[in-house]
Amino acid sequence: MIVVGDLQPGKKLKIDGLRTLLEIGASPIREALSLLTSDQLVERIDQRGFRTAAVSRENFNDILSLRCTLEEMALRQSIANASEAWEDELVLSHHRMLRETRDHIEGFEARHKAFHMALLSASSSPLLLKLCSQLYDLNIRYRYLAGKSLNYTKRDVSSEHDNILRAALERNADQAAELLLSHYRKTGAFLTGLIATSEDTQG
Amino acid sequence: MIVVGDLQPGKKLKIDGLRTLLEIGASPIREALSLLTSDQLVERIDQRGFRTAAVSRENFNDILSLRCTLEEMALRQSIANASEAWEDELVLSHHRMLRETRDHIEGFEARHKAFHMALLSASSSPLLLKLCSQLYDLNIRYRYLAGKSLNYTKRDVSSEHDNILRAALERNADQAAELLLSHYRKTGAFLTGLIATSEDTQG
DNA sequence: TGGGTTTAAAATATCGATATTTCGGGAGAA
DNA sequence: TTCTCCCGAAATATCGATATTTTAAACCCA
Protein backbone atom coordinates (compact mmCIF):
# COMPACT_ATOMS: atom_id res chain seq x y z
CA MET A 1 0.00 0.00 0.00
CA ILE A 2 2.88 2.35 0.69
CA VAL A 3 4.57 1.49 -2.58
CA VAL A 4 1.42 1.86 -4.60
CA GLY A 5 0.58 5.12 -2.91
CA ASP A 6 -2.53 4.17 -0.99
CA LEU A 7 -0.82 5.65 2.01
CA GLN A 8 0.38 9.19 1.55
CA PRO A 9 4.08 9.91 2.07
CA GLY A 10 4.95 11.41 5.42
CA LYS A 11 1.55 10.53 6.77
CA LYS A 12 1.26 9.28 10.27
CA LEU A 13 0.41 5.63 10.50
CA LYS A 14 -2.06 5.21 13.32
CA ILE A 15 -1.99 1.65 14.44
CA ASP A 16 -5.60 1.69 15.49
CA GLY A 17 -6.63 2.98 12.10
CA LEU A 18 -4.71 0.26 10.30
CA ARG A 19 -6.06 -2.26 12.75
CA THR A 20 -9.65 -1.66 11.69
CA LEU A 21 -8.63 -1.18 8.07
CA LEU A 22 -6.82 -4.47 7.75
CA GLU A 23 -8.97 -6.28 10.28
CA ILE A 24 -6.13 -7.77 12.24
CA GLY A 25 -4.58 -7.13 15.63
CA ALA A 26 -2.04 -4.53 16.56
CA SER A 27 0.88 -6.89 16.99
CA PRO A 28 1.15 -7.99 13.34
CA ILE A 29 0.89 -4.38 12.29
CA ARG A 30 3.70 -3.32 14.55
CA GLU A 31 5.79 -6.17 13.22
CA ALA A 32 5.10 -5.27 9.61
CA LEU A 33 5.94 -1.64 10.22
CA SER A 34 9.14 -2.63 11.95
CA LEU A 35 10.16 -4.67 8.92
CA LEU A 36 9.32 -1.88 6.54
CA THR A 37 11.39 0.50 8.62
CA SER A 38 14.60 -1.20 7.59
CA ASP A 39 13.43 -1.19 4.00
CA GLN A 40 13.23 2.60 4.16
CA LEU A 41 9.53 2.60 3.43
CA VAL A 42 8.50 3.49 6.96
CA GLU A 43 10.15 5.83 9.42
CA ARG A 44 10.03 5.36 13.11
CA ILE A 45 9.85 8.30 15.48
CA ASP A 46 10.98 8.11 19.07
CA GLN A 47 7.92 7.15 21.00
CA ARG A 48 5.57 8.74 18.59
CA GLY A 49 4.80 5.80 16.34
CA PHE A 50 5.44 5.33 12.65
CA ARG A 51 4.99 7.32 9.50
CA THR A 52 5.47 6.56 5.85
CA ALA A 53 8.82 7.62 4.45
CA ALA A 54 8.90 11.17 3.21
CA VAL A 55 9.56 11.87 -0.43
CA SER A 56 11.78 14.48 -1.99
CA ARG A 57 13.74 15.02 -5.11
CA GLU A 58 16.96 14.51 -3.20
CA ASN A 59 15.74 11.18 -1.95
CA PHE A 60 14.71 10.17 -5.42
CA ASN A 61 18.06 11.06 -6.92
CA ASP A 62 19.72 9.29 -4.06
CA ILE A 63 17.81 6.12 -4.85
CA LEU A 64 18.40 6.42 -8.55
CA SER A 65 22.11 6.95 -8.17
CA LEU A 66 22.56 3.99 -5.88
CA ARG A 67 20.39 1.88 -8.08
CA CYS A 68 22.51 2.57 -11.13
CA THR A 69 25.69 1.67 -9.33
CA LEU A 70 24.40 -1.51 -7.77
CA GLU A 71 22.47 -2.77 -10.75
CA GLU A 72 25.42 -2.25 -13.03
CA MET A 73 27.54 -4.24 -10.66
CA ALA A 74 24.95 -6.97 -10.40
CA LEU A 75 24.36 -7.08 -14.13
CA ARG A 76 28.04 -7.50 -14.90
CA GLN A 77 28.31 -10.28 -12.38
CA SER A 78 25.21 -11.87 -13.76
CA ILE A 79 26.44 -11.86 -17.33
CA ALA A 80 29.80 -13.17 -16.18
CA ASN A 81 28.05 -16.10 -14.50
CA ALA A 82 25.55 -16.57 -17.28
CA SER A 83 24.16 -20.04 -17.73
CA GLU A 84 21.52 -21.54 -19.98
CA ALA A 85 19.06 -21.68 -17.14
CA TRP A 86 19.59 -17.97 -16.62
CA GLU A 87 19.02 -17.31 -20.31
CA ASP A 88 15.79 -19.29 -20.25
CA GLU A 89 14.48 -17.48 -17.22
CA LEU A 90 15.41 -14.15 -18.75
CA VAL A 91 13.64 -14.78 -22.03
CA LEU A 92 10.66 -16.17 -20.22
CA SER A 93 10.28 -13.21 -17.89
CA HIS A 94 10.63 -10.86 -20.83
CA HIS A 95 7.90 -12.60 -22.74
CA ARG A 96 5.61 -12.64 -19.74
CA MET A 97 6.14 -8.92 -19.34
CA LEU A 98 5.14 -8.29 -22.92
CA ARG A 99 2.08 -10.49 -22.61
CA GLU A 100 1.02 -8.71 -19.47
CA THR A 101 1.46 -5.36 -21.17
CA ARG A 102 -1.12 -6.31 -23.76
CA ASP A 103 -3.61 -8.07 -21.54
CA HIS A 104 -3.81 -6.71 -18.02
CA ILE A 105 -1.97 -3.56 -17.17
CA GLU A 106 -2.46 -4.47 -13.54
CA GLY A 107 0.13 -7.19 -13.37
CA PHE A 108 2.63 -5.33 -15.48
CA GLU A 109 4.61 -3.86 -12.64
CA ALA A 110 5.18 -7.26 -11.10
CA ARG A 111 6.34 -8.66 -14.44
CA HIS A 112 8.50 -5.65 -15.03
CA LYS A 113 10.27 -6.15 -11.76
CA ALA A 114 10.58 -9.86 -12.46
CA PHE A 115 12.30 -9.11 -15.75
CA HIS A 116 14.74 -6.67 -14.24
CA MET A 117 15.55 -9.00 -11.39
CA ALA A 118 16.00 -11.85 -13.86
CA LEU A 119 18.66 -9.80 -15.56
CA LEU A 120 20.60 -9.68 -12.32
CA SER A 121 19.65 -13.06 -10.96
CA ALA A 122 22.85 -14.86 -11.95
CA SER A 123 24.85 -12.52 -9.78
CA SER A 124 26.86 -14.35 -7.17
CA SER A 125 25.90 -11.88 -4.49
CA PRO A 126 22.65 -12.49 -2.61
CA LEU A 127 23.14 -9.29 -0.66
CA LEU A 128 23.43 -7.27 -3.82
CA LEU A 129 20.27 -8.78 -5.24
CA LYS A 130 18.37 -8.01 -2.09
CA LEU A 131 19.51 -4.40 -2.18
CA CYS A 132 18.53 -4.08 -5.81
CA SER A 133 15.11 -5.44 -5.01
CA GLN A 134 14.68 -2.95 -2.19
CA LEU A 135 15.85 -0.06 -4.30
CA TYR A 136 13.50 -1.13 -7.05
CA ASP A 137 10.58 -0.88 -4.67
CA LEU A 138 11.68 2.50 -3.41
CA ASN A 139 12.00 3.72 -6.97
CA ILE A 140 8.72 2.32 -8.20
CA ARG A 141 7.01 4.10 -5.36
CA TYR A 142 7.93 7.40 -6.95
CA ARG A 143 6.54 6.24 -10.22
CA TYR A 144 3.21 5.53 -8.58
CA LEU A 145 3.28 8.80 -6.69
CA ALA A 146 4.00 10.69 -9.89
CA GLY A 147 0.70 9.41 -11.09
CA LYS A 148 -0.51 6.13 -12.39
CA SER A 149 -1.88 8.09 -15.28
CA LEU A 150 1.49 8.55 -16.90
CA ASN A 151 1.23 5.83 -19.49
CA TYR A 152 4.92 5.35 -19.44
CA THR A 153 4.43 1.87 -20.79
CA LYS A 154 3.66 3.50 -24.09
CA ARG A 155 6.87 5.47 -24.24
CA ASP A 156 9.66 3.56 -25.83
CA VAL A 157 10.51 1.29 -22.97
CA SER A 158 9.51 -1.71 -24.97
CA SER A 159 12.35 -1.31 -27.42
CA GLU A 160 14.68 -0.38 -24.58
CA HIS A 161 13.84 -3.63 -22.90
CA ASP A 162 14.37 -5.48 -26.14
CA ASN A 163 17.79 -3.98 -26.58
CA ILE A 164 18.81 -4.75 -23.02
CA LEU A 165 17.64 -8.31 -23.43
CA ARG A 166 19.56 -8.73 -26.65
CA ALA A 167 22.76 -7.32 -25.21
CA ALA A 168 22.45 -9.57 -22.19
CA LEU A 169 21.88 -12.66 -24.28
CA GLU A 170 24.91 -11.74 -26.35
CA ARG A 171 26.91 -11.56 -23.14
CA ASN A 172 27.84 -8.01 -23.98
CA ALA A 173 28.18 -6.66 -20.47
CA ASP A 174 29.35 -3.20 -21.43
CA GLN A 175 26.50 -2.59 -23.79
CA ALA A 176 23.90 -4.15 -21.51
CA ALA A 177 25.05 -2.03 -18.60
CA GLU A 178 25.03 1.11 -20.67
CA LEU A 179 21.53 0.41 -21.96
CA LEU A 180 20.23 -0.48 -18.52
CA LEU A 181 21.56 2.67 -16.92
CA SER A 182 20.32 4.76 -19.78
CA HIS A 183 16.93 3.13 -19.30
CA TYR A 184 16.87 4.09 -15.64
CA ARG A 185 18.21 7.57 -16.09
CA LYS A 186 15.75 8.31 -18.82
CA THR A 187 12.75 7.40 -16.70
CA GLY A 188 14.49 9.05 -13.76
CA ALA A 189 14.82 12.38 -15.49
CA PHE A 190 11.23 12.07 -16.53
CA LEU A 191 10.04 11.52 -12.99
CA THR A 192 12.25 14.21 -11.49
CA GLY A 193 10.26 16.82 -13.34
CA LEU A 194 6.98 15.52 -12.03
CA ILE A 195 8.22 15.37 -8.47
CA ALA A 196 9.11 19.02 -8.46
CA THR A 197 5.48 20.01 -8.77
CA SER A 198 4.14 17.80 -6.00
CA GLU A 199 7.03 18.38 -3.64
CA ASP A 200 5.16 20.43 -1.08
CA THR A 201 2.34 17.96 -0.65
CA GLN A 202 4.28 15.93 1.87
CA GLY A 203 3.31 16.21 5.52
CA MET B 1 24.82 -9.52 21.05
CA ILE B 2 24.63 -11.03 17.58
CA VAL B 3 27.36 -8.76 16.27
CA VAL B 4 29.65 -9.43 19.18
CA GLY B 5 29.07 -13.14 18.97
CA ASP B 6 27.21 -13.78 22.19
CA LEU B 7 24.62 -15.52 20.07
CA GLN B 8 26.03 -18.24 17.84
CA PRO B 9 25.43 -17.95 14.09
CA GLY B 10 22.62 -20.06 12.76
CA LYS B 11 21.36 -20.69 16.24
CA LYS B 12 17.68 -20.68 16.86
CA LEU B 13 16.45 -17.69 18.80
CA LYS B 14 13.85 -18.91 21.23
CA ILE B 15 11.72 -16.01 22.23
CA ASP B 16 11.03 -17.41 25.65
CA GLY B 17 14.73 -17.85 26.26
CA LEU B 18 15.48 -14.28 25.30
CA ARG B 19 12.53 -13.16 27.33
CA THR B 20 14.00 -14.44 30.58
CA LEU B 21 17.52 -13.47 29.50
CA LEU B 22 16.69 -9.85 28.81
CA GLU B 23 13.92 -9.63 31.38
CA ILE B 24 11.39 -8.02 29.10
CA GLY B 25 8.23 -9.15 27.38
CA ALA B 26 7.87 -11.04 24.15
CA SER B 27 6.56 -8.16 22.09
CA PRO B 28 9.68 -5.99 22.21
CA ILE B 29 11.78 -9.02 21.38
CA ARG B 30 9.70 -9.84 18.34
CA GLU B 31 9.98 -6.25 17.25
CA ALA B 32 13.74 -6.16 17.69
CA LEU B 33 14.15 -9.40 15.78
CA SER B 34 11.96 -8.08 13.01
CA LEU B 35 14.16 -5.03 12.70
CA LEU B 36 17.33 -7.08 12.69
CA THR B 37 15.86 -9.25 9.96
CA SER B 38 16.07 -6.44 7.44
CA ASP B 39 19.60 -5.72 8.61
CA GLN B 40 20.57 -9.25 7.61
CA LEU B 41 21.56 -10.13 11.13
CA VAL B 42 18.54 -12.31 11.79
CA GLU B 43 16.76 -14.69 9.46
CA ARG B 44 13.11 -15.42 9.68
CA ILE B 45 11.73 -18.84 8.93
CA ASP B 46 8.16 -19.39 7.85
CA GLN B 47 6.28 -20.01 11.04
CA ARG B 48 9.25 -21.42 12.82
CA GLY B 49 10.56 -18.32 14.48
CA PHE B 50 13.90 -16.60 14.07
CA ARG B 51 17.53 -17.57 13.92
CA THR B 52 20.76 -15.66 13.76
CA ALA B 53 22.13 -15.21 10.26
CA ALA B 54 24.35 -18.01 9.08
CA VAL B 55 27.98 -17.33 8.30
CA SER B 56 30.04 -18.54 5.40
CA ARG B 57 33.05 -17.50 3.41
CA GLU B 58 30.81 -16.67 0.48
CA ASN B 59 28.72 -14.39 2.63
CA PHE B 60 31.83 -12.73 4.00
CA ASN B 61 33.26 -12.08 0.56
CA ASP B 62 29.88 -10.85 -0.52
CA ILE B 63 29.82 -8.32 2.27
CA LEU B 64 33.41 -7.28 1.69
CA SER B 65 32.91 -6.76 -2.01
CA LEU B 66 29.81 -4.64 -1.57
CA ARG B 67 31.45 -2.72 1.20
CA CYS B 68 34.39 -1.77 -0.98
CA THR B 69 32.16 -0.56 -3.76
CA LEU B 70 29.82 1.45 -1.57
CA GLU B 71 32.43 2.93 0.71
CA GLU B 72 34.55 4.05 -2.20
CA MET B 73 31.51 5.74 -3.66
CA ALA B 74 30.65 7.35 -0.35
CA LEU B 75 34.21 8.42 0.32
CA ARG B 76 34.54 10.15 -3.02
CA GLN B 77 31.28 11.96 -2.49
CA SER B 78 32.36 12.88 0.99
CA ILE B 79 35.65 14.35 -0.12
CA ALA B 80 33.90 16.19 -2.92
CA ASN B 81 31.57 17.79 -0.39
CA ALA B 82 34.26 18.32 2.20
CA SER B 83 33.76 21.17 4.61
CA GLU B 84 35.66 22.43 7.62
CA ALA B 85 33.11 20.93 9.96
CA TRP B 86 33.70 17.58 8.29
CA GLU B 87 37.45 17.98 8.70
CA ASP B 88 37.05 18.75 12.37
CA GLU B 89 34.83 15.79 13.00
CA LEU B 90 37.20 13.54 11.12
CA VAL B 91 40.28 14.57 13.04
CA LEU B 92 38.37 14.37 16.28
CA SER B 93 37.07 10.88 15.70
CA HIS B 94 40.54 9.78 14.68
CA HIS B 95 42.06 11.12 17.84
CA ARG B 96 39.39 9.52 19.96
CA MET B 97 40.06 6.21 18.30
CA LEU B 98 43.76 6.45 19.10
CA ARG B 99 43.06 7.40 22.69
CA GLU B 100 40.68 4.51 23.10
CA THR B 101 43.27 2.14 21.65
CA ARG B 102 45.67 3.04 24.43
CA ASP B 103 43.24 3.17 27.29
CA HIS B 104 40.28 0.83 27.02
CA ILE B 105 40.27 -1.73 24.28
CA GLU B 106 36.57 -2.19 24.96
CA GLY B 107 35.41 0.98 23.36
CA PHE B 108 37.78 0.73 20.44
CA GLU B 109 35.35 -0.87 18.05
CA ALA B 110 32.80 1.89 18.54
CA ARG B 111 35.47 4.54 17.92
CA HIS B 112 36.76 2.66 14.95
CA LYS B 113 33.35 2.63 13.36
CA ALA B 114 32.88 6.28 14.24
CA PHE B 115 36.11 7.14 12.44
CA HIS B 116 35.21 5.20 9.34
CA MET B 117 31.73 6.65 9.24
CA ALA B 118 33.18 10.13 9.75
CA LEU B 119 35.22 9.61 6.61
CA LEU B 120 32.02 9.08 4.66
CA SER B 121 29.79 11.43 6.58
CA ALA B 122 29.93 14.33 4.15
CA SER B 123 28.42 12.16 1.46
CA SER B 124 25.22 13.60 0.06
CA SER B 125 23.50 10.25 0.15
CA PRO B 126 21.78 9.24 3.39
CA LEU B 127 20.83 5.90 1.88
CA LEU B 128 24.42 5.13 1.06
CA LEU B 129 25.55 5.99 4.55
CA LYS B 130 22.95 3.74 6.06
CA LEU B 131 24.03 0.87 3.87
CA CYS B 132 27.66 1.41 4.77
CA SER B 133 26.75 1.36 8.42
CA GLN B 134 24.83 -1.88 8.02
CA LEU B 135 27.62 -3.50 6.06
CA TYR B 136 30.11 -2.39 8.66
CA ASP B 137 28.15 -4.21 11.32
CA LEU B 138 27.88 -7.32 9.20
CA ASN B 139 31.60 -7.23 8.58
CA ILE B 140 32.62 -6.58 12.13
CA ARG B 141 30.59 -9.56 13.19
CA TYR B 142 32.99 -11.79 11.32
CA ARG B 143 35.90 -10.17 13.06
CA TYR B 144 34.38 -11.00 16.41
CA LEU B 145 33.53 -14.51 15.30
CA ALA B 146 37.07 -15.05 14.07
CA GLY B 147 38.10 -14.51 17.63
CA LYS B 148 38.46 -11.52 19.81
CA SER B 149 41.90 -12.84 20.58
CA LEU B 150 43.35 -11.72 17.29
CA ASN B 151 45.03 -8.56 18.42
CA TYR B 152 44.54 -7.01 15.07
CA THR B 153 44.77 -3.62 16.62
CA LYS B 154 48.46 -4.26 16.93
CA ARG B 155 48.96 -5.05 13.27
CA ASP B 156 49.70 -2.00 11.24
CA VAL B 157 46.24 -0.58 11.06
CA SER B 158 47.32 2.45 12.98
CA SER B 159 49.57 3.70 10.19
CA GLU B 160 46.96 2.68 7.64
CA HIS B 161 44.44 4.86 9.41
CA ASP B 162 46.92 7.69 9.54
CA ASN B 163 47.50 7.49 5.82
CA ILE B 164 43.81 7.39 5.03
CA LEU B 165 43.22 10.37 7.26
CA ARG B 166 46.02 12.32 5.63
CA ALA B 167 44.82 11.57 2.13
CA ALA B 168 41.28 12.56 3.06
CA LEU B 169 42.39 15.84 4.61
CA GLU B 170 44.39 16.55 1.48
CA ARG B 171 41.23 16.00 -0.53
CA ASN B 172 43.03 13.34 -2.51
CA ALA B 173 40.07 11.14 -3.33
CA ASP B 174 41.93 8.66 -5.49
CA GLN B 175 44.57 7.98 -2.92
CA ALA B 176 42.15 7.90 -0.01
CA ALA B 177 39.91 5.43 -1.83
CA GLU B 178 42.83 3.24 -2.73
CA LEU B 179 44.12 3.22 0.82
CA LEU B 180 40.70 2.57 2.27
CA LEU B 181 39.99 -0.36 0.00
CA SER B 182 43.44 -1.75 0.59
CA HIS B 183 42.76 -1.44 4.30
CA TYR B 184 39.57 -3.45 3.99
CA ARG B 185 40.91 -6.05 1.64
CA LYS B 186 43.95 -6.62 3.81
CA THR B 187 41.90 -7.36 6.89
CA GLY B 188 39.45 -9.23 4.68
CA ALA B 189 42.07 -11.61 3.36
CA PHE B 190 43.28 -12.04 6.89
CA LEU B 191 39.82 -13.03 8.11
CA THR B 192 39.03 -15.25 5.17
CA GLY B 193 41.73 -17.64 6.27
CA LEU B 194 40.37 -17.84 9.79
CA ILE B 195 36.83 -18.42 8.61
CA ALA B 196 37.84 -21.47 6.61
CA THR B 197 38.74 -23.34 9.76
CA SER B 198 35.56 -22.62 11.67
CA GLU B 199 33.22 -22.96 8.73
CA ASP B 200 31.51 -26.18 9.84
CA THR B 201 30.67 -24.93 13.29
CA GLN B 202 27.53 -23.25 12.11
CA GLY B 203 24.22 -24.95 13.01
C1' DT C 1 11.64 -54.63 13.83
C1' DG C 2 10.36 -50.82 10.81
C1' DG C 3 7.14 -47.51 8.99
C1' DG C 4 3.33 -44.66 9.51
C1' DT C 5 0.01 -42.49 12.39
C1' DT C 6 -1.45 -40.37 16.50
C1' DT C 7 -0.82 -37.64 20.42
C1' DA C 8 1.30 -34.71 23.76
C1' DA C 9 4.62 -30.98 24.58
C1' DA C 10 6.74 -26.79 23.15
C1' DA C 11 7.17 -22.76 20.64
C1' DT C 12 5.27 -19.24 17.80
C1' DA C 13 1.89 -15.83 16.33
C1' DT C 14 -1.94 -13.30 17.57
C1' DC C 15 -5.22 -11.18 20.54
C1' DG C 16 -7.21 -8.16 24.31
C1' DA C 17 -6.09 -5.13 27.92
C1' DT C 18 -3.15 -2.12 30.81
C1' DA C 19 0.31 1.36 31.70
C1' DT C 20 3.15 5.03 29.96
C1' DT C 21 3.83 8.71 27.07
C1' DT C 22 2.49 12.38 23.98
C1' DC C 23 -0.63 15.89 22.10
C1' DG C 24 -4.12 19.58 22.46
C1' DG C 25 -7.21 22.55 24.93
C1' DG C 26 -8.32 25.54 28.69
C1' DA C 27 -7.69 28.01 32.95
C1' DG C 28 -5.02 31.30 35.53
C1' DA C 29 -1.51 34.88 36.18
C1' DA C 30 1.46 38.59 34.52
C1' DT D 1 -3.20 39.57 25.12
C1' DT D 2 0.32 36.17 25.88
C1' DC D 3 2.81 32.89 28.27
C1' DT D 4 2.86 29.06 31.39
C1' DC D 5 1.06 25.30 33.74
C1' DC D 6 -2.11 21.72 34.28
C1' DC D 7 -5.40 18.46 33.07
C1' DG D 8 -7.98 15.36 29.92
C1' DA D 9 -7.97 12.67 25.67
C1' DA D 10 -5.62 9.85 22.45
C1' DA D 11 -2.12 7.05 20.86
C1' DT D 12 1.78 4.11 21.67
C1' DA D 13 4.45 0.47 23.84
C1' DT D 14 4.30 -3.32 26.68
C1' DC D 15 2.37 -7.10 29.14
C1' DG D 16 -0.18 -11.54 30.05
C1' DA D 17 -2.85 -15.02 28.01
C1' DT D 18 -4.95 -17.76 24.22
C1' DA D 19 -4.96 -20.22 19.89
C1' DT D 20 -2.49 -22.16 16.10
C1' DT D 21 1.34 -24.43 14.42
C1' DT D 22 5.37 -27.19 14.75
C1' DT D 23 8.22 -30.74 16.78
C1' DA D 24 9.23 -35.06 18.78
C1' DA D 25 8.12 -38.98 21.04
C1' DA D 26 5.11 -42.80 21.80
C1' DC D 27 2.12 -46.04 19.93
C1' DC D 28 -0.04 -49.27 16.94
C1' DC D 29 0.01 -52.26 13.11
C1' DA D 30 1.98 -54.83 9.57
Side-chain angles (χ1 to χ4, degrees), chain A:
Chain A
M1 292 172 65
I2 295 174
V3 168
V4 175
D6 287 347
L7 295 172
Q8 284 184 345
K11 191 175 185 182
K12 201 157 182 316
L13 292 169
K14 296 176 187 173
I15 289 188
D16 212 44
L18 293 175
R19 205 186 63 74
T20 56
L21 181 60
L22 301 177
E23 295 182 351
I24 52 177
S27 303
I29 291 180
R30 283 193 69 79
E31 194 161 322
L33 292 177
S34 296
L35 282 170
L36 291 173
T37 294
S38 295
D39 292 343
Q40 313 293 327
L41 279 170
V42 168
E43 292 173 348
R44 176 167 209 171
I45 334 167
D46 253 345
Q47 304 251 335
R48 255 163 280 183
F50 302 87
R51 69 173 50 174
T52 51
V55 296
S56 68
R57 209 182 321 173
E58 290 77 26
N59 181 246
F60 176 74
N61 290 328
D62 195 353
I63 292 167
L64 184 63
S65 165
L66 254 183
R67 212 157 96 90
C68 288
T69 305
L70 295 183
E71 291 219 11
E72 176 172 3
M73 192 176 169
L75 180 62
R76 288 181 183 278
Q77 284 182 16
S78 200
I79 290 178
N81 298 338
S83 68
E84 294 190 345
W86 170 74
E87 266 192 33
D88 294 348
E89 179 58 31
L90 187 55
V91 172
L92 196 58
S93 63
H94 181 254
H95 174 67
R96 283 180 180 149
M97 180 175 66
L98 291 183
R99 181 174 57 197
E100 214 72 12
T101 306
R102 293 197 310 270
D103 301 353
H104 343 77
I105 311 291
E106 303 303 319
F108 172 75
E109 289 295 356
R111 304 294 193 182
H112 186 232
K113 177 172 181 180
F115 170 66
H116 276 285
M117 291 309 293
L119 275 168
L120 317 175
S121 63
S123 158
S124 52
S125 169
L127 256 174
L128 186 55
L129 288 177
K130 176 141 191 161
L131 288 180
C132 288
S133 174
Q134 284 186 13
L135 288 174
Y136 184 96
D137 291 337
L138 289 179
N139 189 77
I140 204 179
R141 179 171 175 238
Y142 277 93
R143 200 188 306 156
Y144 278 111
L145 292 174
K148 300 153 193 173
S149 57
L150 81 109
N151 54 352
Y152 115 114
T153 61
K154 311 298 182 196
R155 211 189 65 198
D156 204 15
V157 281
S158 186
S159 70
E160 287 179 29
H161 286 146
D162 291 347
N163 292 333
I164 294 171
L165 175 65
R166 191 180 312 121
L169 292 178
E170 287 171 357
R171 309 284 202 273
N172 190 335
D174 289 333
Q175 193 187 359
E178 187 188 326
L179 290 171
L180 184 65
L181 264 57
S182 158
H183 175 56
Y184 287 149
R185 294 205 171 103
K186 217 174 279 185
T187 64
F190 183 53
L191 287 180
T192 303
L194 295 178
I195 293 171
T197 62
S198 62
E199 183 117 68
D200 49 340
T201 60
Q202 60 175 297

Side-chain angles (χ1 to χ4, degrees), chain B residues 92-152:
Chain B
L92 197 57
S93 63
H94 182 253
H95 174 68
R96 284 179 180 151
M97 179 175 68
L98 291 182
R99 181 175 57 198
E100 214 72 12
T101 306
R102 293 196 311 270
D103 300 354
H104 345 77
I105 311 291
E106 303 302 320
F108 172 74
E109 288 296 354
R111 304 295 193 182
H112 186 231
K113 178 172 180 179
F115 170 65
H116 276 284
M117 291 309 293
L119 275 168
L120 317 176
S121 64
S123 158
S124 52
S125 168
L127 255 174
L128 187 54
L129 288 177
K130 176 140 190 162
L131 288 181
C132 288
S133 174
Q134 283 187 13
L135 288 174
Y136 184 97
D137 290 338
L138 289 179
N139 188 77
I140 202 180
R141 179 172 175 237
Y142 277 93
R143 201 189 303 156
Y144 277 112
L145 292 174
K148 301 153 194 172
S149 57
L150 80 109
N151 53 351
Y152 115 113

